[in-house]
Amino acid sequence: MPSSNPPAPSSAQLEEVKDAVRALLHQPEYDDGSAGPVLVRLAWHSAGTYDAASKTGGSNGAGMRYEKEGGDPANAGLAHARAFLEPVKEKFPWITYADLWCLAAVVAVKEMGGPEVQWQGGRTDFTDDSKVPPRGRLPDAAQGSDHLRHIFYRMGFNDQEIVALSGAHNLGRCHGDRSGFEGKWVNQPTRFSNQYYRLLLQNDWKKKKLANGLEQFVYVDEEIELEEGEEPEELMMLPTDMSLLSDAAFRPWVERYAKDKDLFFAHFAAVFGKLLELGLVRDASGNIVNEENVEGGYQS
Ligand code: CCH
């Protein structure tokens, strides 16, 4: 290990960072009142560039700080997530951005009622953009199940893991000015649950063409009690979400997760933890040992 690597933080130091993240989740002026969903997306997009064949990409490096990755249209809107975390980085400069982005998502999932995801630190931040992965590695929501397999098999995931990861769409919403899609998947988008799978199966989703030419699927919940003058709110699914229903290997997992919240929570915790570790090679004591895309780790 190069001697310039920092010592591993104590668990008390990590707890302080987690408390600081918890304290910023409540954002009454932002979206549905929580920074949680966009923080989960930040961690996912930081890790979801991993390519198992070349061992490049992944959550190490925090490449989104550079235009090459941060300016990728697939990452539109994630500057909000990075800005939410900036005061935490300023207060605890010893934590790397790469660790902070992943840890914040783990804290957010838990605080929104989701499972405890295993997290280990030691990621480093790139000091220039030379190891930042090329654009085009994240999924395109306008496509179908072949595309999902192409993207997620590249990272080393299987069909069950693809369906479990997709359950993160219980959280948050699509923004017309970010992805071009519009709306939320579930009624309570700041509460982690298996509602996404239940809605996928239960509802009669209708294709809707947006003014920008993109197609998504929508449903209006007639059962919801509305205040006077309130418009019923549409729920939405992306074409990739719908492909989980039409694909013979994906669908049984949608059905199982719709019925069994505990199973979904256990599988989501495992697969989200795996996502955040992609590309990191650790020794027996958990220190990150060098790989092509990893510059170091903690002192051993
Ligand atoms: Fe996702 N996601 N996601 N997603 N996503 C979007 C928003 C969120 C796809 C497309 C989109 C995962 C997988 C996929 C979240 C977590 C995960 C949006 C709207 C699109 C489009 C962005 C916007 O407009 O702001 C596609 C395609 C896939 C393919 O599988 C996975 C995996 C995860 C995490 C495990 C979260 C959370 C959001 C909400 C973000 C927010 O700002 O509210």
Side-chain angles (χ1 to χ4, degrees), residues 117-129:
V117 178
Q118 292 300 315
W119 178 88
Q120 273 186 287
R123 294 165 193 77
T124 51
D125 292 339
F126 294 151
T127 48
D128 61 46
D129 68 0

PDB file of all heavy atoms in Angstrom, residues 117-129:
ATOM      1  N   VAL A 117     -28.047  -2.287   4.269  1.00  0.00           N
ATOM      2  CA  VAL A 117     -27.155  -2.763   3.213  1.00  0.00           C
ATOM      3  C   VAL A 117     -25.732  -2.756   3.759  1.00  0.00           C
ATOM      4  O   VAL A 117     -25.307  -1.772   4.378  1.00  0.00           O
ATOM      5  CB  VAL A 117     -27.254  -1.847   1.964  1.00  0.00           C
ATOM      6  CG1 VAL A 117     -26.296  -2.293   0.872  1.00  0.00           C
ATOM      7  CG2 VAL A 117     -28.689  -1.807   1.435  1.00  0.00           C
ATOM      8  N   GLN A 118     -25.002  -3.848   3.566  1.00  0.00           N
ATOM      9  CA  GLN A 118     -23.612  -3.904   4.020  1.00  0.00           C
ATOM     10  C   GLN A 118     -22.781  -2.900   3.235  1.00  0.00           C
ATOM     11  O   GLN A 118     -22.923  -2.811   2.011  1.00  0.00           O
ATOM     12  CB  GLN A 118     -23.032  -5.301   3.788  1.00  0.00           C
ATOM     13  CG  GLN A 118     -23.650  -6.367   4.664  1.00  0.00           C
ATOM     14  CD  GLN A 118     -23.443  -6.075   6.145  1.00  0.00           C
ATOM     15  OE1 GLN A 118     -22.353  -5.712   6.562  1.00  0.00           O
ATOM     16  NE2 GLN A 118     -24.518  -6.209   6.925  1.00  0.00           N
ATOM     17  N   TRP A 119     -21.931  -2.181   3.923  1.00  0.00           N
ATOM     18  CA  TRP A 119     -21.093  -1.170   3.266  1.00  0.00           C
ATOM     19  C   TRP A 119     -19.684  -1.230   3.839  1.00  0.00           C
ATOM     20  O   TRP A 119     -19.511  -1.348   5.043  1.00  0.00           O
ATOM     21  CB  TRP A 119     -21.678   0.223   3.512  1.00  0.00           C
ATOM     22  CG  TRP A 119     -20.850   1.311   2.913  1.00  0.00           C
ATOM     23  CD1 TRP A 119     -20.943   1.802   1.648  1.00  0.00           C
ATOM     24  CD2 TRP A 119     -19.777   2.032   3.535  1.00  0.00           C
ATOM     25  NE1 TRP A 119     -20.004   2.784   1.452  1.00  0.00           N
ATOM     26  CE2 TRP A 119     -19.269   2.937   2.590  1.00  0.00           C
ATOM     27  CE3 TRP A 119     -19.180   1.998   4.808  1.00  0.00           C
ATOM     28  CZ2 TRP A 119     -18.214   3.809   2.860  1.00  0.00           C
ATOM     29  CZ3 TRP A 119     -18.131   2.853   5.081  1.00  0.00           C
ATOM     30  CH2 TRP A 119     -17.660   3.753   4.111  1.00  0.00           C
ATOM     31  N   GLN A 120     -18.732  -1.168   2.973  1.00  0.00           N
ATOM     32  CA  GLN A 120     -17.333  -1.080   3.407  1.00  0.00           C
ATOM     33  C   GLN A 120     -16.684   0.102   2.713  1.00  0.00           C
ATOM     34  O   GLN A 120     -16.931   0.338   1.523  1.00  0.00           O
ATOM     35  CB  GLN A 120     -16.580  -2.331   2.974  1.00  0.00           C
ATOM     36  CG  GLN A 120     -16.658  -3.501   3.946  1.00  0.00           C
ATOM     37  CD  GLN A 120     -15.749  -4.615   3.468  1.00  0.00           C
ATOM     38  OE1 GLN A 120     -16.060  -5.291   2.487  1.00  0.00           O
ATOM     39  NE2 GLN A 120     -14.629  -4.791   4.129  1.00  0.00           N
ATOM     40  N   GLY A 121     -15.807   0.788   3.414  1.00  0.00           N
ATOM     41  CA  GLY A 121     -15.132   1.950   2.845  1.00  0.00           C
ATOM     42  C   GLY A 121     -13.806   1.594   2.196  1.00  0.00           C
ATOM     43  O   GLY A 121     -13.490   0.423   2.003  1.00  0.00           O
ATOM     44  N   GLY A 122     -13.075   2.619   1.863  1.00  0.00           N
ATOM     45  CA  GLY A 122     -11.737   2.437   1.304  1.00  0.00           C
ATOM     46  C   GLY A 122     -11.591   2.876  -0.138  1.00  0.00           C
ATOM     47  O   GLY A 122     -10.506   2.811  -0.701  1.00  0.00           O
ATOM     48  N   ARG A 123     -12.705   3.338  -0.741  1.00  0.00           N
ATOM     49  CA  ARG A 123     -12.615   3.825  -2.128  1.00  0.00           C
ATOM     50  C   ARG A 123     -11.769   5.103  -2.159  1.00  0.00           C
ATOM     51  O   ARG A 123     -11.781   5.872  -1.202  1.00  0.00           O
ATOM     52  CB  ARG A 123     -14.015   4.136  -2.680  1.00  0.00           C
ATOM     53  CG  ARG A 123     -14.904   2.918  -2.844  1.00  0.00           C
ATOM     54  CD  ARG A 123     -16.370   3.320  -3.043  1.00  0.00           C
ATOM     55  NE  ARG A 123     -17.265   2.183  -2.897  1.00  0.00           N
ATOM     56  CZ  ARG A 123     -17.611   1.659  -1.734  1.00  0.00           C
ATOM     57  NH1 ARG A 123     -17.182   2.178  -0.605  1.00  0.00           N
ATOM     58  NH2 ARG A 123     -18.407   0.599  -1.693  1.00  0.00           N
ATOM     59  N   THR A 124     -11.109   5.309  -3.261  1.00  0.00           N
ATOM     60  CA  THR A 124     -10.333   6.541  -3.408  1.00  0.00           C
ATOM     61  C   THR A 124     -10.949   7.397  -4.511  1.00  0.00           C
ATOM     62  O   THR A 124     -11.750   6.917  -5.314  1.00  0.00           O
ATOM     63  CB  THR A 124      -8.876   6.221  -3.775  1.00  0.00           C
ATOM     64  OG1 THR A 124      -8.871   5.331  -4.874  1.00  0.00           O
ATOM     65  CG2 THR A 124      -8.148   5.590  -2.600  1.00  0.00           C
ATOM     66  N   ASP A 125     -10.569   8.662  -4.532  1.00  0.00           N
ATOM     67  CA  ASP A 125     -11.043   9.584  -5.576  1.00  0.00           C
ATOM     68  C   ASP A 125      -9.952   9.736  -6.633  1.00  0.00           C
ATOM     69  O   ASP A 125      -8.787   9.950  -6.289  1.00  0.00           O
ATOM     70  CB  ASP A 125     -11.353  10.949  -4.954  1.00  0.00           C
ATOM     71  CG  ASP A 125     -12.545  10.903  -4.019  1.00  0.00           C
ATOM     72  OD1 ASP A 125     -13.361   9.961  -4.144  1.00  0.00           O
ATOM     73  OD2 ASP A 125     -12.663  11.805  -3.166  1.00  0.00           O
ATOM     74  N   PHE A 126     -10.346   9.627  -7.880  1.00  0.00           N
ATOM     75  CA  PHE A 126      -9.379   9.883  -8.948  1.00  0.00           C
ATOM     76  C   PHE A 126      -8.880  11.326  -8.829  1.00  0.00           C
ATOM     77  O   PHE A 126      -9.619  12.215  -8.401  1.00  0.00           O
ATOM     78  CB  PHE A 126     -10.015   9.708 -10.333  1.00  0.00           C
ATOM     79  CG  PHE A 126     -10.423   8.299 -10.655  1.00  0.00           C
ATOM     80  CD1 PHE A 126     -11.485   8.048 -11.520  1.00  0.00           C
ATOM     81  CD2 PHE A 126      -9.743   7.201 -10.124  1.00  0.00           C
ATOM     82  CE1 PHE A 126     -11.870   6.754 -11.839  1.00  0.00           C
ATOM     83  CE2 PHE A 126     -10.118   5.900 -10.448  1.00  0.00           C
ATOM     84  CZ  PHE A 126     -11.189   5.683 -11.301  1.00  0.00           C
ATOM     85  N   THR A 127      -7.638  11.533  -9.242  1.00  0.00           N
ATOM     86  CA  THR A 127      -7.095  12.899  -9.181  1.00  0.00           C
ATOM     87  C   THR A 127      -7.091  13.556 -10.563  1.00  0.00           C
ATOM     88  O   THR A 127      -6.739  14.722 -10.705  1.00  0.00           O
ATOM     89  CB  THR A 127      -5.678  12.883  -8.588  1.00  0.00           C
ATOM     90  OG1 THR A 127      -4.935  11.853  -9.261  1.00  0.00           O
ATOM     91  CG2 THR A 127      -5.718  12.569  -7.104  1.00  0.00           C
ATOM     92  N   ASP A 128      -7.440  12.784 -11.590  1.00  0.00           N
ATOM     93  CA  ASP A 128      -7.713  13.375 -12.907  1.00  0.00           C
ATOM     94  C   ASP A 128      -8.701  12.444 -13.613  1.00  0.00           C
ATOM     95  O   ASP A 128      -9.113  11.433 -13.045  1.00  0.00           O
ATOM     96  CB  ASP A 128      -6.425  13.572 -13.727  1.00  0.00           C
ATOM     97  CG  ASP A 128      -5.722  12.261 -14.005  1.00  0.00           C
ATOM     98  OD1 ASP A 128      -6.405  11.284 -14.407  1.00  0.00           O
ATOM     99  OD2 ASP A 128      -4.500  12.184 -13.805  1.00  0.00           O
ATOM    100  N   ASP A 129      -9.081  12.791 -14.859  1.00  0.00           N
ATOM    101  CA  ASP A 129     -10.158  12.014 -15.488  1.00  0.00           C
ATOM    102  C   ASP A 129      -9.643  10.873 -16.380  1.00  0.00           C
ATOM    103  O   ASP A 129     -10.405  10.288 -17.149  1.00  0.00           O
ATOM    104  CB  ASP A 129     -11.114  12.942 -16.249  1.00  0.00           C
ATOM    105  CG  ASP A 129     -10.484  13.586 -17.475  1.00  0.00           C
ATOM    106  OD1 ASP A 129      -9.289  13.318 -17.739  1.00  0.00           O
ATOM    107  OD2 ASP A 129     -11.177  14.364 -18.146  1.00  0.00           O
TER     108      ASP A 129
END
